[in-house]
Each structure stands twice: as C-alpha cells, then as structure tokens.
Amino acid sequence: MVTGAAPTELDPFAQEPPRHGNRWPRDAALRRTVRRMLSEAPGGGADLAAEADRWLDDVGRTAADELAPLAVAAEANPPRHRPYDAWAARIDYVDVDPAWTTLVARSQELGMTALPYERPFGAASRVVHAAALQLLDPLTATAMCPLSMTDACAALLLRHDPALAQDWVPRFTARTGGWTAGQWMTEKEGGSDVSRTGTVARDAGLGDGSFRLRGTKWFTSATTADVAVALARPEGAEPGSRGLSLFALSLRTADGGWNGLRVRRLKEKLGTRGLPTAELDLDGTLAVPVGGLGRGVPKVASVLQVARLWAAQSGPGATGHLLVLARDYAARRQVAGGMLADSSLHRAWLAEIAATYEAMLQLSLRAAELVGLDEDQLDRSVSPLARVVLPLTKLACSRQGFDAVSQLVESFGGAGYCEDTGIPQTLRDVLVHCIWEGTGSVLALDVVRALRDPDTGAALVAEIESQLRRRPGPVADHAEATVYAALPALAAMAAQEQPARARDLAWSLARTYQLALLVAHARWAAAIDGDPRPAAAAELLAGRPLLAPGPGAADELAVAALALG
C-alpha cells in the first residue's frame, strides 16, 4: 500500500467562461437600429421607441433566464415516435419533452404569434417582433419554427379566405392555449419544385365542399400542430403547378384520433434536434380548399412572405448571440501575456464580423418594416418592393449568418467545438435557414422572376437612392459613392435575365442594398448619438466587392464539366 500526501490536481486552472445573460442591453447594434426605426416610423417617436425598448428588455431577460434552460432540456431529450401501442394498435404517438411544449407556450404568451396582429407598435410592430425573434431564436431550440408557420397561415387566411380566417386566426393569435399550424409542401419527387406534387384531392362526397387527400409529405416540421395547409392536385386538374390547390386541414378528429394521417418516421437531422420533423402519409385526410379551388401556388406565396421573414431573422439572431459571447470571452481569455481583447489582430477580425452583422440587421429589420407596411393596407397586398426584398433578405441573411457564426465558433478555440458549451448547437441550427423556405438558388430565381415586372426593379432602385438621400453628409461618403458606382452595372445585370447568373444578380443586389441601408443608418447614429460604429461598419463593407464577377473566359461546357466533375 502506497502512502503519502493526498493527490492534487496537476493543473488547477479553469478558464472563466463567457457570461450569458439578457442580450438586449448588451447588443448596442440591435438596440440602436430598433430605436431609429421606431423613432422614424409612421406615428412613431421617442415614446414609442422607449416602449419597444422596455418590452424587448423583458423578452431578452425571459429568453436568458427562463427559456434557455428549457431549450437545453428539450435538446437533451429529442422527440420520439411510437408507431404502435403494447397491443399492436397503430397510434403514431410523437413524444416530445415537456420543455419543448413549454417553450412554444411561453413564446405564445410573450406574443410571438399575437403581436403582428395586435399591432401595439402600429406599422412598426413587425420591426419590434423581428427584433424579439432575433433575441429568442438562438435560445429556444427551434421552437420558433411552429410559430413562424402559425403566423404565416394567419396571414394566408386573412388574404385569401376571410371566412376560415374568422374562425382560425383568433386561435392562432391567442396568447394562452393558442393553436399552432404547419405548412406541408415538400414531397419526395419535387422538393422545391412543387409542380411535381403527387398528393391527390378527391371530393369527400359530404356535400360541404370538403375533400380527401392522399399522398406523402416528405418533410413536415409540424407533426404536433393543431392544423396545417397542404398543396394537392384535385382529380382532373391539369398537370404542373397550375393545377394545384391549397387545402386546410386539422391534424386530429373530434375524438382525438389522427385525421387520416400516418407517421412514417421522424427525421434524424444535423440540427433542430428538439423539433419534431416527420414524413407523413395522408390517407383520406379530410380537408377544405383555401379560398376555393385553384391558384394553389400563388396562395402559398402568402405563406412564404411571412415564413421567409422569420427565417431571415435567424442569421442576425445567431450572429448577435455569439458576437456578444465572443466579445465577453475576449475580455476573459488571456493569451501571450495579455487579454485576447487587447490583440489588434483579434479586434480587426471581430470588427469584420460585426460589420456584416450591422448589414444583416439593417436588411432583416427593413424587410420586417416593409411587411408591416403592406399589412397596414386593407387588402394586405404585397408591394413590388417587398416582392423582391423578401427573397433577397432571406438569401443574404441566412447565408451571411451561417458564415459569421462559423467564424465566431472559431473565436472560442477548442471550447467552441465542444457540445457542452452549447456553441456548436448555434451553428447547426442556423444552417437550416439556408434551406428552409427556399435554398439560395430558389430565392435567386424568385428575385429574377420578381424583376420581370418593371415596377419591381424601379421600386428597388428608387429605394436604394432614397436611403442614400435621407441624410446627406460626410459620414460614410466613400460607402455612398461605392453604392452609386454599382447601380449602372446592377441595372445591366438585371436587364440581361440570365438564369445561370441569378445568384450573382441576387447577391449583388443584396450587398448593394445592405450598404445603402447601412449608410443611412450610420448617418442617423452619428447625428443623433455621435456613434461612429455604424459608419465604420459601412466603410469596412465598402472595401469588399459588391458586384459578383463576370462569367470570365471559361466556356459553358468547361464550366459544366468543372461543376459536375
């Protein structure tokens, strides 16, 4: 037996971790942008901005103190599917952790489906709502997903089916005991190509205009919802997208059983692990047409308008979350005899990320403002400007968010790669928003289609020029000149309408528009607060290429061979 002194740790050092907490008071860029937009909104002013500040502070505190621990529990116990009970009866029970259910319910109580319809901040309510979403999304285990679809379904019904809206929308917007909704478009054959939808709708023969749906939906993130909307082709309708109709259905019957639904399996995903996502068979599912038969795809556009707005907030939401932590960590991590925050190299790197974050904030919250202004109209129609800005915003903010978050993971060193820090989950979850509601190529083609209407292109150019003219001044003048220099080339690219270069066009438009918005914001910040940070962000972004390079000398066949190997 060996005796001697008690064993001691060889290395007692423990790195002080970054401090989590209410992000709202720590995120000056987000606070400043919301204050400007509320101050300048129709009917807005300092009082409305102060009211928004108080509410968002409460949301940020609730997210950090109450919801974040629930998200950890929901992620640790992902959903499970039990197809049969002990006596071999088919039940298709989807078991989710109680923490997940609480996350959804508490978010409803905060007003995440109610606020856009209660409109306490007038036409700027969508701006405040989007800021709240950015605070909540990184800390709620993707519980915002069912709420985004609920909001989107409410907007759809208000625009296309007032009778059904009268019954369902109050349930969607209830803060207690409210419904959630899903949207079922994706099928194995088609994916984003909904023209290949194979689900068939047959008259139910009940004399009430209802139909029975039969088909398979390959990716549905609303298996625990109350209702859903789904694309289907009525018997005898023409092939392709023109023959599709949109249907509304309840997931359960009056006795609590499934409404002709069968769960094939739950998806095993890279991220969004707390969210139940399933493959569903529709076998005689009772449903009713939304706004009558026909025009299914144009009606779905109403859903995408809102769903893409929600998805666009994820990139800046995740970036802002990790940027606050990275800044805090830099003040706690000692390297080379000093603090990481004292390294000019590290500061320059964080500044580049922060500049991208400022640009994402301006675009994501401007998109929310445009949606709110459209919803302020009696017919809730989509304006030409919003028609092109929404796909641009979702394209840019989702991809920029993922790129920024991947760099911020690196800023924590090896700890950023360890699951128990919670940082890798942020990276996994933000990536899905590059796919949901349209991949980059799908969104770029939507931009090209929108620009076929001359009014849309004219509205976007007028918007960019209007932003630059809002506050003439010497602040960010180089960035302003960069935007003006890009406009003729952008007009030429848009006029050519080359589908193969749709991504180049969309990205060139998005970056140019972001810089114009940031110039206007920087001048406000300098004039009102004497704050130089947005102007520094604008000048940093002006040093990056705005326009995508031309096709170069490689011929089309060589490029195809390079792409396909």
Side-chain angles (χ1 to χ4, degrees):
M1 182 176 181
V2 178
T3 60
T8 60
E9 289 188 45
L10 292 177
D11 182 8
F13 173 78
Q15 171 61 47
E16 186 179 359
R19 292 182 183 174
H20 292 257
N22 181 359
R23 176 176 139 209
W24 177 250
R26 303 166 73 189
D27 191 336
L30 179 59
R31 284 200 329 275
R32 185 174 50 232
T33 303
V34 171
R35 181 158 72 92
R36 173 184 61 79
M37 297 181 79
L38 269 290
S39 299
E40 298 179 336
D47 290 345
L48 195 67
E51 185 181 344
D53 180 84
R54 287 190 292 271
W55 185 73
L56 287 166
D57 185 59
D58 183 58
V59 170
R61 188 182 307 107
T62 301
D65 296 347
E66 180 184 346
L67 303 187
L70 291 171
V72 172
E75 283 280 315
N77 184 26
R80 293 173 176 81
H81 172 219
R82 287 193 287 126
Y84 300 97
D85 69 8
W87 306 100
R90 185 77 187 239
I91 56 171
D92 281 325
Y93 184 73
V94 178
D95 183 22
V96 296
D97 193 275
W100 167 263
T101 306
T102 303
L103 282 168
V104 173
R106 283 292 289 121
S107 299
Q108 288 173 311
E109 290 172 10
L110 285 173
M112 292 310 292
T113 51
L115 191 139
Y117 303 92
E118 296 173 348
R119 301 176 68 77
F121 302 99
S125 293
R126 279 285 178 191
V127 173
V128 181
H129 180 264
L133 176 55
Q134 291 188 24
L135 295 173
L136 290 167
D137 192 65
L139 299 177
T140 50
T142 334
M144 296 300 105
C145 173
L147 301 183
S148 74
M149 292 185 287
T150 305
D151 185 4
C153 285
L156 162 77
L157 296 182
L158 287 170
R159 189 171 295 158
H160 294 289
D161 198 325
L164 193 56
Q166 189 174 6
D167 183 21
W168 284 16
V169 170
R171 302 171 191 260
F172 293 156
T173 58
R175 289 178 178 252
T176 304
W179 281 3
T180 57
Q183 54 196 47
W184 299 347
M185 316 300 168
T186 308
E187 300 192 2
K188 292 180 294 182
E189 298 87 348
S192 61
D193 182 7
V194 296
S195 67
R196 301 182 67 188
T197 295
T199 301
V200 175
R202 296 185 176 91
D203 191 315
L206 300 177
D208 57 0
S210 59
F211 285 73
R212 297 282 185 185
L213 308 186
R214 284 182 169 79
T216 298
K217 299 297 180 180
W218 187 77
F219 196 98
T220 67
S221 292
T223 319
T224 54
D226 298 280
V227 297
V229 293
L231 281 176
R233 193 181 310 280
E235 278 190 313
E238 62 183 295
S241 60
R242 293 175 64 87
L244 296 174
S245 292
L246 190 64
F247 293 86
L249 60 97
S250 296
L251 273 72
R252 299 281 181 174
T253 57
D255 63 2
W258 286 107
N259 176 18
L261 298 172
R262 190 164 52 246
V263 180
R264 286 192 171 190
R265 60 171 175 165
L266 294 183
K267 298 288 194 181
E268 295 185 18
K269 301 162 293 179
L270 172 66
T272 69
R273 294 175 179 174
L275 173 69
T277 305
E279 292 177 28
L280 291 180
D281 286 333
L282 285 69
D283 188 8
T285 303
L286 194 65
V288 296
V290 174
L293 291 177
R295 302 188 71 253
V297 174
K299 291 171 186 173
V300 165
S302 301
V303 175
L304 291 178
Q305 169 89 350
V306 172
R308 284 175 173 174
L309 178 63
W310 280 66
Q313 309 310 315
S314 174
T319 303
H321 168 62
L322 283 194
L323 190 56
V324 164
L325 293 184
R327 287 165 168 162
D328 188 83
Y329 183 68
R332 302 176 190 281
R333 178 64 174 169
Q334 189 169 18
V335 293
M339 302 310 297
L340 185 58
D342 297 329
S343 164
S344 58
L345 181 64
H346 190 71
R347 289 201 305 267
W349 181 38
L350 284 185
E352 289 285 345
I353 299 170
T356 300
Y357 177 53
E358 290 268 10
M360 283 191 282
L361 283 177
Q362 303 314 310
L363 183 55
S364 62
L365 296 180
R366 175 58 174 158
E369 187 174 44
L370 292 175
V371 170
L373 290 171
D374 283 352
E375 291 176 341
D376 226 19
Q377 307 304 310
L378 288 177
D379 61 356
R380 302 176 67 90
S381 60
V382 179
S383 63
L385 182 58
R387 191 170 294 118
V388 68
V389 167
L390 261 294
L392 281 178
T393 304
K394 199 273 186 182
L395 166 85
C397 290
S398 59
R399 174 50 60 183
Q400 289 171 334
F402 176 73
D403 293 345
V405 166
S406 67
Q407 292 195 71
L408 288 167
V409 168
E410 183 183 347
S411 76
F412 299 97
Y417 202 67
C418 294
E419 290 287 355
D420 54 359
T421 65
I423 294 169
Q425 180 191 334
T426 306
L427 181 65
R428 288 196 310 270
D429 287 353
V430 77
L431 176 57
V432 78
H433 293 279
C434 296
I435 300 169
W436 276 351
E437 319 307 345
T439 61
S441 293
V442 169
L443 294 161
L445 290 171
D446 280 354
V447 169
V448 169
R449 280 188 286 269
L451 292 175
R452 288 173 186 163
D453 179 356
D455 290 342
T456 299
L460 183 57
V461 171
E463 161 79 355
I464 291 172
E465 293 178 339
S466 172
Q467 292 293 337
L468 294 176
R469 289 195 303 266
R470 290 178 71 182
R471 281 189 174 80
V475 172
D477 55 348
H478 173 61
E480 177 185 38
T482 303
V483 174
Y484 274 124
L487 290 180
L490 281 174
M493 290 175 67
Q496 292 173 2
E497 194 184 322
Q498 300 178 37
R501 296 202 66 203
R503 290 180 71 103
D504 292 344
L505 171 61
W507 271 107
S508 299
L509 285 169
R511 287 191 290 256
T512 303
Y513 185 31
Q514 280 181 319
L515 187 53
L517 291 167
L518 187 50
V519 167
H521 176 65
R523 289 172 175 169
W524 177 89
I528 302 300
D529 286 343
D531 190 340
R533 287 173 291 185
E539 298 297 8
L540 281 173
L541 292 178
R544 304 176 190 173
L546 289 186
L547 304 179
D555 66 39
E556 190 173 342
L557 288 176
V559 169
L562 178 65
L564 302 177

